[in-house]
Amino acid sequence: MPRLIARSPEFTGQEFDLTAPLISIGRVEGNDIVLTHPSVSSKHAELRLEGGDYRLVDHNSTNGTKVNDERISEVMLRNQDLVSVGNIVLAYVSSNALAAAPLPEASGRVEIGGSNRGRPATFTNLAPFAKPKPKSGAVPVLIWVAAFVALAGLGFLGYKLFLG
C-alpha cells in the first residue's frame, strides 16, 4: 500500500497510508492529510490514484509543491520520491513500480557529425615536448656497412699486392 512518510522535524514519525482514490492535502481540517504549518496552503494539493500509484496535483498553492526539488503542477509519483508540500518534506513509498518508458527504436546507421578524417584544420599541438624526429632507416646503415667492408677489402688487397 502506498504511503507518505514525514521527513520534516515538525512531523517526525508520522505516516499517512494512502488508501482512497482521491486524497486532499492541506493546512485546515477537512483535508484527508492535514499538515498544520504556515507554509502549507489551506487546500494545497491532492493525490489521485492511477494504476496502483498516485498522481500529485498542486492546487495553485502559495508556496508550491515540489517532487525531488523540482516544482510541479502535476506529476506521477514513483517509489522513494521526495514530495515537498510548502516546506514540509514527505517521502512517497510504494511497492508498485512504474514501468520504464520504452526505449526508442534503433536505426541502422548512426551519423557522427563531419566528414573530415584525421586532424581538424585548426588543430594546434600544445604539448610541451618537441615532436621527435624520425630515426634513420636501415638503408643508410647498410650503405655505411657496405662502404666499410669495401674499403677494408681494398685495403687488404692492396696490402697483399704491394707488400706480400
Side-chain angles (χ1 to χ4, degrees):
M1 159 183 357
R3 61 190 167 152
L4 289 173
I5 302 171
R7 296 286 187 231
S8 294
E10 300 93 326
F11 297 93
T12 300
Q14 289 192 28
E15 293 187 16
F16 307 97
D17 290 331
L18 307 177
T19 56
L22 186 64
I23 299 169
S24 61
I25 303 171
R27 184 182 68 239
V28 298
E29 294 298 323
N31 287 296
D32 299 305
I33 298 175
V34 178
L35 301 172
T36 52
H37 191 272
S39 68
V40 178
S41 295
S42 57
K43 295 202 181 275
H44 198 99
E46 71 180 14
L47 294 163
R48 299 176 186 161
L49 184 61
E50 292 182 13
D53 272 310
Y54 283 86
R55 178 174 298 279
L56 177 62
V57 180
D58 183 70
H59 283 289
N60 295 318
S61 59
T62 304
N63 293 313
T65 304
K66 294 180 182 179
V67 174
N68 300 324
D69 286 329
E70 288 188 35
R71 191 165 182 153
I72 59 99
S73 59
E74 184 175 325
V75 70
M76 194 68 186
L77 293 176
R78 296 180 184 266
N79 188 36
Q80 300 299 320
D81 277 344
L82 290 179
V83 176
S84 299
V85 178
N87 294 337
I88 306 304
V89 178
L90 307 157
Y92 178 74
V93 178
S94 173
S95 57
N96 301 320
L98 287 177
L103 295 173
E105 290 295 321
S107 64
R109 183 177 174 160
V110 176
E111 291 291 328
I112 299 176
S115 61
N116 187 7
R117 303 218 184 263
R119 284 186 184 167
T122 59
F123 179 80
T124 303
N125 187 358
L126 297 176
F129 307 104
K131 184 176 179 181
K133 294 180 181 177
K135 295 182 179 179
S136 59
V139 175
V141 172
L142 288 175
I143 292 173
W144 281 105
V145 170
F148 178 75
V149 170
L151 286 174
L154 285 174
F156 182 74
L157 182 62
Y159 173 78
K160 283 292 192 178
L161 286 176
F162 292 110
L163 297 175

